[in-house]
Amino acid sequence: MCGIVGYVGKEEAAPFLLDGLSKLEYRGYDSAGIATIDGTKLVVEKCVGRLAALKEKIDGHVPKGTIGIGHTRWATHGRPADNNAHPHTDGAGRFAVVHNGIIENYLPLKEGLLKKGHEFKSETDSEVVVHLLADVYDGDFEAAVHRVLTMIEGSYSLVFLSKDHPDRLICAKKDNPLVIGLGNGENFIASDIPAIISRTRRTYILNDGEIAVVHRDGVDVCNFAGERIDKKVFEVNWNAEAAEKGGYEHFMLKEIHEQPKAVRDTMSQRIAKDGKSVVFDELKWDKDFLDSIDKISIVACGTAYHAGLVGKTYIEKLVRIPVEIDVASEFRYKDPIIDDKTLTVVVSQSGETSDTLAALKEAKRRGAKTVAITNVVGSSIAREADRVIYTWAGPEIAVASTKAYTTQLVAFFMLALYMAEIEGTQPSERIAELIAALQKLPDDVSRTFEDVEPIKTFATKYGFNEDAFFIGRSLDYNVAMEGSLKLKEISYIHAEAYAAGELKHGTLALIVKGVPVIALATQKSVYEKTLGNIKEVKARDAVVIGIAAADDTELAKYVDHVIKVPATDELLIPILAVIPLQLLAYYAAVTRGCDVDKPRNLAKSVTVE
């Protein structure tokens, strides 16, 4: 995944390009570059490393010109290096292109171009695109771009710049996100809204198979067949400050502390005024619809997959419909058994996760009914699914997902309650009880931040251990998996999560003196069993940090440290129990001097397989 920006207008392009790229570094930061047209000359500046390296390189001689494109890269084809950084140019320096995605047939195309005498400077698949453009160009910029798009296969968002046509940018989208910001005497292109929100709230969100010719005074959109499309303006309803750190040292810490609001916003308008039922106007399901479903399939990746594991338990316990869950990258290749009696639920914070989008399309191809849980209005997954549940978490910039996860759990819980009401699988008293607990949740989340000093102390004390283990049973095991992922992805500590009852089946061999074990014990239905497993690891001299409800008086007898979260229904407590794990991972990463918001080798939204 990479970040793309473009500008055409009356001002100097480079300042916007650099600022826009700074808002998109969460999409990749292996290298960065910009290209502008200065008079009749195409000027390209790029280098390996983060955007700061590019800014240092061009300090004192920032490229001039009122039109330009920029790119921040997450490497797929070709290692991070100056020559592999975007923008890429043709041999004559007539065209430049930036690309997010993968050109699957680049190799045969490259071989054909090499035979024609084209010389390549990079190892990337993307460079093929600009050489193809130069090869087919006959003076008509738009026609040449259309022809190139018929030749390439794969996924892409592309922006083309031509020194022969210094009044326009051309961009195209297939499977990867692209947004056009509409200004006054200027227009913008970006992979994501944070790059343009400080300049405009009026946008066009491109769909797959659309091409836009962007001038300073207008935007013309057509499909790949050349047929004109009248786009509707999408008004962004959050402000630029929402994408800034707001006084926090890192975006991740800011987003952890935004969870009370994110949870409240996700619940907003979805609980009836009498507090006794859940309302999903965006679904409008009835008993006939649910009776037509014989199973539910949840598909997601990474943190969203962990949310799906909790969602599976919510639905099965409350609705009594069997639920399967798959990692999206495996879903298409296992020949899934789904049909028109299956409801497929796909989960993605960005709504652009490539594997999840592909799984959604496969489910629809096989006749499944579909619903998406996502955070981004107008995203590819939101547009593709039959129905959408938005989480309203606000922009999430840090690579490690936090508030997206908790709001996904809230969305799943409310969905399960909604379905249970329709199907009559839970007494009305139980539903009212759970809704009352749900309404208290934002305040409960706030209370988890009242005393984080012990968590900082644990992170400082154990942050330089190279191994850590997370254990739990039932929903605690699902939360343990998310806690383990958070720790490993931002602190680089080797962390594993295990079902506590499986310790004696091999895992216990890894427990040695002094190794940190984070033990979740919030599920009353398996509490005594969990205590037994904790005793097993303590007998091997592990250091145990327990996570328990505030009313727990037993756990402290068996562990070295206890972190407590507000007591609530055991179905809802995973939403609270994960927060100390997020903070533990954060402070461990800080202790180790890691780049919290931009962990190595990772990007925010994985838009390539």
Side-chain angles (χ1 to χ4, degrees), residues 51-121:
L51 184 62
L54 177 65
K55 289 180 178 178
E56 183 178 350
K57 179 183 177 184
I58 63 176
D59 186 32
H61 61 278
V62 177
K64 301 293 185 181
T66 58
I67 185 171
I69 56 178
H71 189 274
T72 181
R73 182 174 186 246
W74 182 64
T76 50
H77 286 75
R79 60 190 174 84
D82 286 355
N83 63 310
N84 290 329
H86 296 222
H88 291 292
T89 59
D90 66 301
R94 175 176 279 180
F95 303 101
V97 69
V98 288
H99 170 225
N100 173 31
I102 291 178
I103 307 301
E104 294 174 355
N105 62 333
Y106 84 98
L107 194 54
L109 291 172
K110 183 174 183 177
E111 290 170 348
L113 289 164
L114 287 169
K115 289 178 181 177
K116 291 183 175 183
H118 288 258
E119 295 182 2
F120 286 78
K121 300 173 183 176

Side-chain angles (χ1 to χ4, degrees), residues 32-283:
I34 62 173
T36 63
I37 298 176
D38 184 0
T40 60
K41 184 171 63 173
L42 180 64
V43 180
V44 178
E45 293 284 359
K46 58 183 181 177
C47 66
V48 71
R50 304 214 168 163
L51 184 62
L54 177 65
K55 289 180 178 178
E56 183 178 350
K57 179 183 177 184
I58 63 176
D59 186 32
H61 61 278
V62 177
K64 301 293 185 181
T66 58
I67 185 171
I69 56 178
H71 189 274
T72 181
R73 182 174 186 246
W74 182 64
T76 50
H77 286 75
R79 60 190 174 84
D82 286 355
N83 63 310
N84 290 329
H86 296 222
H88 291 292
T89 59
D90 66 301
R94 175 176 279 180
F95 303 101
V97 69
V98 288
H99 170 225
N100 173 31
I102 291 178
I103 307 301
E104 294 174 355
N105 62 333
Y106 84 98
L107 194 54
L109 291 172
K110 183 174 183 177
E111 290 170 348
L113 289 164
L114 287 169
K115 289 178 181 177
K116 291 183 175 183
H118 288 258
E119 295 182 2
F120 286 78
K121 300 173 183 176
S122 79
E123 306 163 297
T124 70
D125 56 330
S126 306
E127 191 183 359
V128 166
V129 176
V130 73
H131 284 274
L132 279 176
L133 181 63
D135 194 61
V136 303
Y137 178 70
D138 62 0
D140 189 327
F141 189 17
E142 287 105 76
V145 169
H146 276 267
R147 188 170 177 192
V148 167
L149 298 178
T150 67
M151 301 167 73
I152 59 176
E153 299 170 4
S155 61
Y156 49 81
S157 50
L158 289 159
V159 185
F160 300 88
L161 176 67
S162 168
K163 74 172 187 177
D164 294 344
H165 303 272
D167 63 338
R168 73 196 69 177
L169 298 172
I170 302 179
C171 57
K173 177 195 181 308
K174 180 177 180 288
D175 296 329
N176 287 318
L178 208 56
V179 176
I180 297 173
L182 306 174
N184 181 19
E186 59 185 1
N187 288 303
F188 314 88
I189 300 171
S191 295
D192 206 352
I193 288 170
I196 61 175
I197 188 62
S198 64
R199 305 293 290 265
T200 182
R201 295 188 183 189
R202 302 178 66 248
T203 67
Y204 288 154
I205 298 176
L206 290 191
N207 296 316
D208 283 352
E210 292 183 346
I211 303 172
V213 181
V214 183
H215 301 266
R216 58 179 285 181
D217 295 317
V219 179
D220 298 313
V221 183
C222 67
N223 61 24
F224 283 8
E227 299 165 333
R228 183 178 173 81
I229 296 172
D230 291 323
K231 297 289 291 183
K232 291 183 178 179
V233 173
F234 172 68
E235 293 275 353
V236 180
N237 61 8
W238 46 270
N239 58 32
E241 289 73 23
E244 299 297 336
K245 291 181 183 176
Y248 289 92
E249 186 176 356
H250 297 97
F251 280 114
M252 182 179 177
L253 187 61
K254 172 179 180 276
E255 289 156 10
I256 288 172
H257 282 269
E258 286 175 340
Q259 287 175 115
K261 180 181 186 300
V263 167
R264 185 177 289 108
D265 288 349
T266 298
M267 292 163 44
S268 177
Q269 309 301 315
R270 288 173 173 156
I271 296 176
K273 291 183 179 180
D274 62 7
K276 295 181 180 179
S277 62
V278 170
V279 178
F280 270 115
D281 290 335
E282 59 265 59
L283 297 183

Side-chain angles (χ1 to χ4, degrees), residues 369-390:
K369 304 169 180 71
T370 60
V371 60
I373 297 176
T374 186
N375 189 40
V376 180
V377 175
S379 59
S380 298
I381 284 172
R383 296 195 304 272
E384 186 72 27
D386 299 331
R387 296 286 187 270
V388 186
I389 298 172
Y390 288 113

